[in-house]
Amino acid sequence: MPHHTPLIGTIVAGLVVAFVMGAIAHRLKLSPLVGYLMAGIIVGPFTPGFVADAGLANELAEIGVILLMFGVGLHFSLRDLLSVKNIAVPGAIGQITVATLMGMGLAYYMGWPVMGGLVFGLALSVASTVVLLRALQGANLVETRRGRIAVGWLIVEDLVMVLALVLLPALAGVMNNADAAGGAGSLLAPLLGTLLKVAGFVALMLIVGRRVIPWALHWVVHSGSRELFRLAVLAIALGVAFGAAVAFDVSFALGAFFAGMILGETPLSRRATEETLPLRDAFAVLFFVSVGMLFNPSVLVEQPLPLLATVAIIIVGKSIAAFAIVRAFGHPGDTALTIAASLAQIGEFSFILASLGTGLGVLPAEGRDLILAGAIVSIFLNPLIFSLIVRSNRREEAEKPPEQPRMGHVILVGYGRVGKLIGQRLAERKAHFVVMETDPDRAEEAEEAGLSVVRGSALEDRHLIAAGIREARRMLIAVPEGFEGGAIHEHARHLNPDLQVIARAHSDAEVAHLEGLGVPHVVMGERELAARMLALCGAG
Ligand code: AMP
């Protein structure tokens, strides 16, 4: 058996245990994140059995952060970013200030030095990119106005932390030799240096990157090689993020976001998203595993009250601050609630700050333990809080009167390449039908075409019910994945056993699967294409 393969061991143990725990969480109807965190605790050093390498797990998690932020950048334009600056900049800075002061208060009470309190407070004030994005993606909110505000807010937080990481060592030095001359001056130089580097990076991306990256990608597309395209997308995402961190000292997340944003301006962004999805999901899972690995359960016994106070600052204190700020800027209550809930957690930046603080000798070890435990607890509770809030918003939406009673209608699942053509024909025939679509852009397109649309996945009963599944006569499943189509069929027939389903497939295995499930009509794209091409050939 090979012995010195810690990297392979960490990836394999992380993914395998996360899969098992994620599957258990799914069965128990819990958020899969809870399963991944548990997996981390299992492979972590504080529980018996196999121990994965925490340092490697952290690095792997960074790849998850890079790919997630790249994906967000793909759907974000510079205009989106600027359109939310009026709320994101004061909001993030205000919330960081409030949370830091609360953290410093707790630290003062615990008798830690002021610098220790500052690091502790800052660590409690920044939300985790991965947790926030997973929550927004899960609720289909990334491309809504509130989603954009939350992402803009996150980017401002990210910038503030980049500055904090540079300034803290200098500040600690000044505090240690308070009487040495030029205290403020020694802070000014690193501050200016960092600002210049961030500005340099942004300028380079907007001036050079904006030309070179789309050009390179177009060239690859014309080469016709799918493999090269996939490689190019990964090279751009990882290369820009890493280059930005090495050359400009900005975070990986920020670098990746800009790389994505530039690619997002080209028509290739949808394909680029598809190419990075599987890797992104796998590495995001490793992020949660790596967080779980840090959890030392003894904090629960040794410091229950300080831990409670820490969690209260993260979940209650920060939320109230964010809610108040968003409301004060005149945004509606549901926007304020979504933003408050999505930021009520801490993650990767907090760990970096904690280790910097202990490294500088200003943060006591118990402070670091509280930050880690606070992160675990808040990440654990976040999906719960988030789904409660989103559900209560949905309830308000559900109270709106239905547009028209539905009876004997058709449900069209998916408004993509195939669904759109079906929808157009059905509309021409004045058929009575409802579109179900998960992708916000495509849902909007359907709405603009005047169709009745349910935004959400046909895999979830509540969305099916919103589309009037019980009264529907037919369902056309126009999603490209036959196996997903099979699962949609199962859900739909469970709610309406008389429903007549027509499904789409792209392989013999999918056709067999769907027919095995009892779908009466399965249309296979490739067979129809072949038949049509043959017919044309005969005609010519
Ligand atoms: P295309 O492959 O271009 O025909 O697009 C398929 C469309 O189906 C995409 O726009 C997807 O967002 C959509 N879609 C995929 N799965 C689901 C689902 N479970 N519920 C609703 N829409 C879906």
Side-chain angles (χ1 to χ4, degrees), residues 208-357:
V208 182
R210 219 169 177 174
R211 299 205 166 92
V212 175
I213 292 177
W215 173 81
L217 216 59
H218 274 117
W219 180 81
V220 174
V221 169
H222 288 295
S223 77
S225 161
R226 185 173 189 141
E227 186 174 285
L228 259 189
F229 182 78
R230 192 171 285 166
L231 209 54
V233 173
L234 280 178
I236 292 169
L238 298 173
V240 172
F242 193 75
V246 171
F248 294 93
D249 285 336
V250 303
S251 65
F252 285 141
L254 204 68
F257 176 80
F258 269 91
M261 203 165 79
I262 281 168
L263 261 188
E265 290 179 357
T266 71
L268 295 165
S269 66
R270 182 175 292 275
R271 260 190 80 192
T273 313
E274 282 164 13
E275 297 301 345
T276 48
L277 267 182
L279 262 187
R280 182 189 90 181
D281 289 350
F283 282 103
V285 165
L286 288 179
F287 167 80
F288 291 100
V289 174
S290 75
V291 175
M293 286 180 67
L294 299 169
F295 187 57
N296 184 353
S298 66
V299 191
L300 293 177
V301 192
E302 286 163 15
Q303 312 200 46
L305 287 180
L307 177 60
L308 207 65
T310 308
V311 172
I313 293 176
I314 300 170
I315 296 183
V316 186
K318 274 173 60 171
S319 299
I320 293 177
F323 183 84
I325 296 171
V326 179
R327 288 295 283 160
F329 275 79
H331 289 271
D334 58 348
T335 303
L337 271 179
T338 310
I339 291 173
S342 58
L343 295 164
Q345 35 83 10
I346 60 172
E348 59 273 19
F349 260 117
S350 317
F351 308 147
I352 301 174
L353 277 169
S355 59
L356 178 74

Side-chain angles (χ1 to χ4, degrees), residues 413-418 436-439 442 456-459 478-480 484 488 504:
V413 182
Y415 195 74
R417 291 163 299 178
V418 177
M436 297 188 72
E437 177 56 68
T438 42
D439 185 290
R442 288 182 163 176
S457 170
L459 284 167
V479 306
E484 186 186 349
I488 294 174
R504 163 182 171 192

Side-chain angles (χ1 to χ4, degrees), residues 379-390:
I379 294 179
F380 201 86
L381 293 178
N382 194 259
L384 210 77
I385 300 174
F386 205 82
S387 69
L388 277 180
I389 284 180
V390 171

Side-chain angles (χ1 to χ4, degrees), residues 293-518:
M293 286 180 67
L294 299 169
F295 187 57
N296 184 353
S298 66
V299 191
L300 293 177
V301 192
E302 286 163 15
Q303 312 200 46
L305 287 180
L307 177 60
L308 207 65
T310 308
V311 172
I313 293 176
I314 300 170
I315 296 183
V316 186
K318 274 173 60 171
S319 299
I320 293 177
F323 183 84
I325 296 171
V326 179
R327 288 295 283 160
F329 275 79
H331 289 271
D334 58 348
T335 303
L337 271 179
T338 310
I339 291 173
S342 58
L343 295 164
Q345 35 83 10
I346 60 172
E348 59 273 19
F349 260 117
S350 317
F351 308 147
I352 301 174
L353 277 169
S355 59
L356 178 74
T358 39
L360 290 172
V362 293
L363 184 71
E366 57 196 296
R368 186 194 52 204
D369 290 345
L370 283 177
I371 291 171
L372 295 182
I376 282 269
V377 176
S378 65
I379 294 179
F380 201 86
L381 293 178
N382 194 259
L384 210 77
I385 300 174
F386 205 82
S387 69
L388 277 180
I389 284 180
V390 171
R391 201 169 299 157
S392 73
N393 281 343
R394 290 247 158 82
R395 200 171 305 132
E396 282 163 30
E397 283 165 20
E399 278 157 15
K400 288 184 207 149
E403 314 153 13
Q404 47 179 290
R406 292 182 177 127
M407 205 45 156
H409 59 291
V410 175
I411 297 182
L412 171 61
V413 182
Y415 195 74
R417 291 163 299 178
V418 177
K420 193 152 77 184
L421 295 175
I422 300 177
Q424 282 162 357
R425 284 295 172 83
L426 287 177
E428 281 164 20
R429 289 192 213 158
K430 309 238 179 308
H432 189 23
F433 72 105
V434 181
V435 174
M436 297 188 72
E437 177 56 68
T438 42
D439 185 290
D441 287 342
R442 288 182 163 176
E444 205 173 305
E445 207 179 317
E447 279 166 356
E448 278 166 10
L451 307 181
S452 159
V453 182
V454 171
R455 290 172 178 248
S457 170
L459 284 167
E460 286 181 52
D461 289 355
R462 60 192 168 106
H463 297 312
L464 285 169
I465 291 168
I469 184 82
R470 295 207 171 95
E471 296 79 32
R473 190 163 44 97
R474 286 219 172 89
M475 175 178 259
L476 305 178
I477 307 180
V479 306
E481 280 286 322
F483 294 102
E484 186 186 349
I488 294 174
H489 164 82
E490 299 270 271
H491 280 268
R493 290 280 297 216
H494 178 67
L495 294 168
N496 178 354
D498 297 327
L499 192 72
Q500 298 165 24
V501 177
I502 301 170
R504 163 182 171 192
H506 287 284
S507 69
D508 291 335
E510 287 176 352
V511 174
H513 175 73
L514 287 163
E515 285 176 351
L517 288 175

